[in-house]
Every structure is written in structure tokens, then in C-alpha cells.
Amino acid sequence: MNRFFKRLLKKRNNKTCQDDDYMLRAFPTVITSGTSENELLEKPQIAIQVHIYFVELMDEMLEAVNNIIYPFDCYISTDTVEKKEIIEKQFVPFCNAKNIIVENIENRGRDVAPFLCQIKPVIKKYKYIGHIHTKRSLHTDFGEDWRKYLLRHLMGSPEYVKGVFNLFEANPDLGFIMPDVYPVIKEYVKWDGAKDSVKEIINKIGLDIDLPNEPIFPTGNMFWARCEAIEPLFKVGYTMKDFPNEEGQLNLTLAHSIERLWIYLMKAQGYSYRICVNKITKNDKKSRSSYNRLFVYSGSGMEKQLEEYGKVYRHSYENLSIDILKEYSQIVFVDESCLGPIDDLENIFEIMDSQEVDMWSMLAKPIYFLVLNKKILESSIWERDWKLEKKPEGLCQYLYANLMKEGYSFKTFIHESEYIDQWVHTDSPQNELPYEFLLLGDPFIKKDAVDSLESMEKERLKSFLMQLPNEERITELYEKFI
């Protein structure tokens, strides 16, 4: 277990019964579509600031930036002349921005100091600004996944970016948009010694606000903002010299304080903020009926939904012959412990089928959902195991364990579940964190999940579900089980 999880587990074990400020953050705003009919199409009113420290992640930044469908200017910071030259050759020619400015800035203050110093002279030129960076969080096992999560919920597609700016344009008091807390670090959203520093900065700006026990902030420091709402911070006059030399600090720096400042800067000025979730999917159903897939479903309530993605075997799997199974290219075992799907499964199948893996599941522990592909289905080992007269109740786990012993390859769709398993010590972390797993892309909810939720978290889950497409189906699920 790395040092991040050791610290996280210690905090979890020492948790008190104080009010949980994490629950007090805004409910999610789910974006499922977007339109582009607004004045932002007329001239560049948007800037995006990109801090590129790891140039090997430059293509990922470029893809995100090019999802902005409105005229925009792009400001790029990096820390060496060599990196600047690479960016000018490999990023600038392919970026859709109207104007692109690349600057070499001293390696201090992580992504925060370059953002402040590069944007300070130009912030009055724009109405909106976004900030992203090549975040890796090398002190963790999940830095790559965290970065991808933040980018998906900030500028994951052109349609999503449209939805973000529709919100800004329709709500003049909206000052800040950020992704929800990355679920893996839910219990690590802390001041980490920055509370007094944040209060001091707010006072320097000439504002005042009471700060809660624990902060609400864009964990990872990527966001969209209304320029006039964040401009007061630029007037404080911070320079690179105000930030310490880079030594891998995890807290107690000015950059960490500013990361925790944004929401309280909004509130002190009368601006609001939104937590936005990207739920835009392809919705292409043309090829679904042609796929040779069988769902072995030991339950009721999801038959019609699963039939959109293949044939469904509704009887007891104990009566399912090996001859029937051999007729299919893919077998999916789903048990009765979950509800859904609330998302388009075809998008998930496309992602996992492209990886050429022998079997896969939604979670690291394949308790309720397991997919077996052709290599397994054609093997003598599979035929031998399936012909056993008595199979255990936990069929998915049983099959997974046996096939792993035989050396078949396995992958997890939501690989964050591997990290969450390290600090949520239950057989099914979904029961404790249903909303968080939905954020990560899980299309199912465990039936037992909501029993232990606080009332605020139940309302958060309800708010999320009721904003999804297929309102009739979602309402049915909510009213029946939640």
C-alpha cells in the first residue's frame, strides 16, 4: 500500500462524528446534451490556460482543448526551453485556437503559479477562462485515471463543452464550474493546513466569508470560470517568487491554498458554482442486434433493457447447456443484486471489446457482472467447469477465480474500484458509495446501496438519477427501490 493510502486509511479510522462538510457541496448538474446558439460564436471571449509539465501528455491536452467549439485563445506554460520547442512543433500547429501563446515559466507553484502569472496581464480581455494541466500525482497509484476523469468532466466532447457554456450564458451569477470530487479521494478532501492561509488571501482581496470545517474545492485544480469572478485574486499581485521551490510538497504551500480558495472567492462576491457531470453518449443503436451476445440473467426487472444489447436467458443457469453457450461469441453473467442499466452499455462494450481481453467485469471484484469472450468459450477448460453438477451461489466470482487460475486475461472497466477497495473494507463498495461509482461510469446500482446512506447523500443520488435521459425508466427505478 503506497503512502497516499496509508494516510487515507489512518484518517478514515480516526474519523469523528462532526458534520460531514463533504456532503454540503452542491448537488451535481448532469449535462446530457448541448447547443451552440449563443453569442460566444461571434468572437473569441474564451481563453484556455494549459500548463504542460509532462510533454508526453501533450496530445491528451490537445484533444481536450480542441473540443472547444467556440472561438478561443490558448495560453500554454511549461518550464524549460526544450519543452517549449516541442510544444511549438507538436501542439501549436494542430490546435484550433485563434491565437496561441507559449511561455517558458519557472518550475514553481505547480500549475497554479503559471496560471496566475501568465493570465494576469490578459484576464480582462475574456469573459470565460478554463484551466487544465498534465496532472500525474506521482505519489499515488491513480494519477493517470484522476487526470482523465477531470478532463472528461470539463471538456470531454464538443457537445459537453456546449453544455458547459449554455449554463454560463443562462446564469449570469454562475462564476465557476468544476468536476465532482474524484471518488478515489473522497475521504481526503481536507484543508491540509490551508484554512488560515485561504482566510488570509480572502481578506487581502478585501472580502470576508466564514469557512467550513472542511473545504469544497476543485480537487486537482482544473476548472472553468467567469473571468470577472476570479479577477480579484489576480489583483493581490502574486509573483513566481511567492511560491516555494518545487520539492514534491503535498500540502502547506500557496498553490495548495489557492486550489482551496476558488469556491469561497465565488461565495464572498455573490457568485455561485456548479459541479458538472458529463453523461453524453453516442446513442448509436444500429449495430446492436447483430452482435452474438447472450446475457445469463438470474433476476427480474432488467430483461427489456438487456435485450437491447443481446439475447437474454431468463431461466436458471443450472439448466443452461454447454451446447447453447457455444452458439454465442460472448456470454455475460448478471445477477439479481443490481438495478439498471442507467447508461448505454454499448459504449462500455465497445471500449472493453477493443482491448482483446479474455474476460472483463465492471469492478475489480466481479461479484455481479462478468463477461466471457470467445477464447474461453471455445476452451475445454470452460466446458469441463460448466458441466459440474453443482455450481456455487456466487457464480461470477466462482467462474472468475477458476479462469484466473488457468491463466486467462482479465480487465476491469472501472479500475478505480481497485483503489477504493483498499479503503472501503466491505464485500461490495458500491453499497457504500453508489453515487461515486455512477460518477466513474458504473451503469448499475446495487439494490442494497441506499439503505445506509445519509439523507443528504440519498438526495444527491436522486438528483443525479433524475437528470439522466430515459426519465420514465429512471423514475421507475427510483420509486421502486430508492
Side-chain angles (χ1 to χ4, degrees):
M1 184 180 293
N2 68 18
R3 56 180 170 155
F4 174 87
F5 284 114
K6 287 179 180 178
R7 294 171 66 196
L8 176 56
L9 192 56
K10 182 177 179 181
K11 285 179 178 287
R12 181 175 174 82
N13 292 337
N14 293 337
K15 193 171 181 179
T16 69
C17 295
Q18 294 177 347
D19 291 341
D20 188 349
D21 293 297
Y22 174 86
M23 290 186 180
L24 300 180
R25 71 200 192 284
F27 283 5
T29 297
V30 180
I31 296 178
T32 58
S33 64
T35 60
S36 57
E37 296 178 3
N38 59 55
E39 63 180 20
L40 294 175
L41 289 170
E42 297 173 8
K43 61 180 181 179
Q45 299 182 67
I46 299 169
I48 181 74
Q49 201 277 336
V50 186
H51 182 59
I52 300 179
Y53 180 80
F54 299 105
V55 290
E56 60 269 28
L57 299 176
M58 185 171 47
D59 288 347
E60 197 171 303
M61 299 294 107
L62 179 64
E63 181 180 0
V65 164
N66 280 346
N67 281 331
I68 304 173
I69 54 89
Y70 306 102
F72 71 99
D73 292 340
C74 184
Y75 294 82
I76 303 171
S77 56
T78 192
D79 66 314
T80 69
V81 173
E82 292 77 13
K83 291 180 185 178
K84 182 175 182 289
E85 291 176 352
I86 293 172
I87 292 167
E88 288 174 337
K89 290 179 181 179
Q90 299 180 25
F91 186 107
V92 172
F94 307 101
C95 180
N96 294 337
K98 297 295 183 182
N99 301 289
I100 306 171
I101 300 89
V102 186
E103 294 185 66
N104 179 22
I105 297 177
E106 186 180 359
N107 184 26
R108 287 176 179 244
R110 304 289 169 85
D111 63 288
V112 177
F115 172 70
L116 292 180
C117 293
Q118 189 177 34
I119 297 302
K120 180 181 178 180
V122 300
I123 190 168
K124 287 183 176 291
K125 291 175 56 177
Y126 302 99
K127 188 173 182 179
Y128 303 111
I129 187 163
H131 172 59
I132 60 175
H133 57 103
T134 55
K135 179 178 180 60
R136 273 210 151 143
S137 298
L138 296 176
H139 62 290
T140 74
D141 294 329
F142 51 80
E144 302 295 314
D145 294 314
W146 188 358
R147 182 187 66 255
K148 293 177 186 297
Y149 169 89
L150 295 176
L151 292 174
R152 182 168 72 251
H153 295 294
L154 276 174
M155 47 186 73
S157 69
E159 284 296 310
Y160 184 73
V161 173
K162 292 176 190 177
V164 165
F165 285 101
N166 286 344
L167 282 174
F168 270 129
E169 291 288 277
N171 299 278
D173 69 330
L174 178 57
F176 201 82
I177 286 177
M178 64 182 186
D180 211 334
V181 174
Y182 184 52
V184 178
I185 64 163
K186 170 186 173 180
E187 300 219 0
Y188 208 65
V189 181
K190 307 292 180 183
W191 283 114
D192 276 344
K195 187 174 182 179
D196 290 342
S197 176
V198 168
K199 184 70 172 176
E200 182 181 341
I201 297 170
I202 291 284
N203 292 340
K204 277 185 181 180
I205 293 171
L207 300 169
D208 189 32
I209 189 172
D210 291 331
L211 300 178
N213 292 333
E214 297 298 347
I216 300 166
F217 65 99
T219 53
N221 201 46
M222 299 194 205
F223 54 81
W224 285 108
R226 191 180 296 271
C227 289
E228 64 181 14
I230 65 171
E231 186 183 0
L233 178 62
F234 291 83
K235 294 178 180 178
V236 175
Y238 289 120
T239 67
M240 294 301 294
K241 293 181 180 179
D242 292 302
F243 295 83
N245 290 324
E246 178 56 46
E247 297 177 351
Q249 302 95 324
L250 298 180
N251 53 28
L252 299 177
T253 71
L254 179 58
H256 289 93
S257 296
I258 290 174
E259 180 183 15
R260 288 158 175 77
L261 165 83
W262 300 115
I263 299 306
Y264 306 103
L265 179 60
M266 298 299 112
K267 290 187 172 185
Q269 298 176 87
Y271 286 102
S272 63
Y273 75 99
R274 294 280 187 99
I275 290 172
C276 287
V277 179
N278 183 354
K279 296 304 292 184
I280 293 176
T281 57
K282 297 178 184 177
N283 290 322
D284 181 9
K285 299 184 179 182
K286 292 181 181 178
S287 62
R288 297 182 181 182
S289 60
S290 62
Y291 199 90
N292 192 24
R293 179 186 297 138
L294 177 69
F295 287 90
V296 181
Y297 175 45
S298 58
S300 62
M302 292 196 297
E303 297 94 330
K304 289 183 179 179
Q305 285 67 40
L306 294 178
E307 283 174 352
E308 292 186 25
Y309 309 99
K311 292 186 178 180
V312 177
Y313 184 84
R314 299 183 180 88
H315 308 290
S316 171
Y317 63 78
E318 293 180 353
N319 299 323
L320 187 56
S321 72
I322 193 70
D323 293 330
I324 293 177
L325 293 173
K326 284 182 176 180
E327 295 176 6
Y328 295 91
S329 301
Q330 192 173 63
I331 307 294
V332 186
F333 293 93
V334 188
D335 74 16
E336 73 281 358
S337 66
C338 53
L339 312 168
I342 65 165
D343 276 346
D344 183 6
L345 288 184
E346 196 62 32
N347 290 313
I348 296 173
F349 277 106
E350 282 183 15
I351 291 169
M352 298 308 293
D353 290 346
S354 67
Q355 299 186 30
E356 298 182 357
V357 65
D358 298 329
M359 58 178 169
W360 60 272
S361 184
M362 293 294 175
L363 309 183
K365 295 178 181 177
I367 298 171
Y368 69 93
F369 187 97
L370 180 65
V371 180
L372 306 183
N373 287 324
K374 196 67 176 175
K375 182 178 177 181
I376 290 176
L377 300 179
E378 292 178 341
S379 71
S380 58
I381 294 170
W382 162 250
E383 184 170 348
R384 178 201 69 195
D385 287 353
W386 189 258
K387 286 182 177 179
L388 290 176
E389 290 186 7
K390 188 172 182 180
K391 302 179 184 66
E393 290 185 9
L395 181 63
C396 289
Q397 191 67 26
Y398 166 78
L399 293 174
Y400 161 77
N402 279 1
L403 292 167
M404 287 294 286
K405 287 178 184 177
E406 299 295 338
Y408 288 104
S409 60
F410 171 81
K411 284 192 177 180
T412 304
F413 176 64
I414 304 173
H415 28 92
E416 285 92 346
S417 62
E418 300 172 22
Y419 316 131
I420 294 174
D421 281 347
Q422 296 184 46
W423 58 269
V424 178
H425 298 300
T426 65
D427 290 336
S428 181
Q430 280 179 299
N431 286 345
E432 190 171 334
L433 303 167
Y435 167 69
E436 283 74 17
F437 273 93
L438 293 177
L439 281 182
L440 293 171
D442 194 339
F444 299 103
I445 305 172
K446 298 289 280 185
K447 291 179 181 178
D448 297 335
V450 297
D451 291 341
S452 60
L453 291 182
E454 299 286 345
S455 59
M456 184 74 77
E457 287 303 278
K458 282 188 179 180
E459 289 301 311
R460 192 182 314 281
L461 179 60
K462 177 181 179 181
S463 172
F464 177 86
L465 291 173
M466 300 308 289
Q467 295 178 70
L468 298 177
N470 196 357
E471 184 176 344
E472 184 177 337
R473 168 66 174 164
I474 298 300
T475 302
E476 174 191 347
L477 289 176
Y478 188 87
E479 291 179 348
K480 188 173 181 180
F481 296 101
I482 304 176

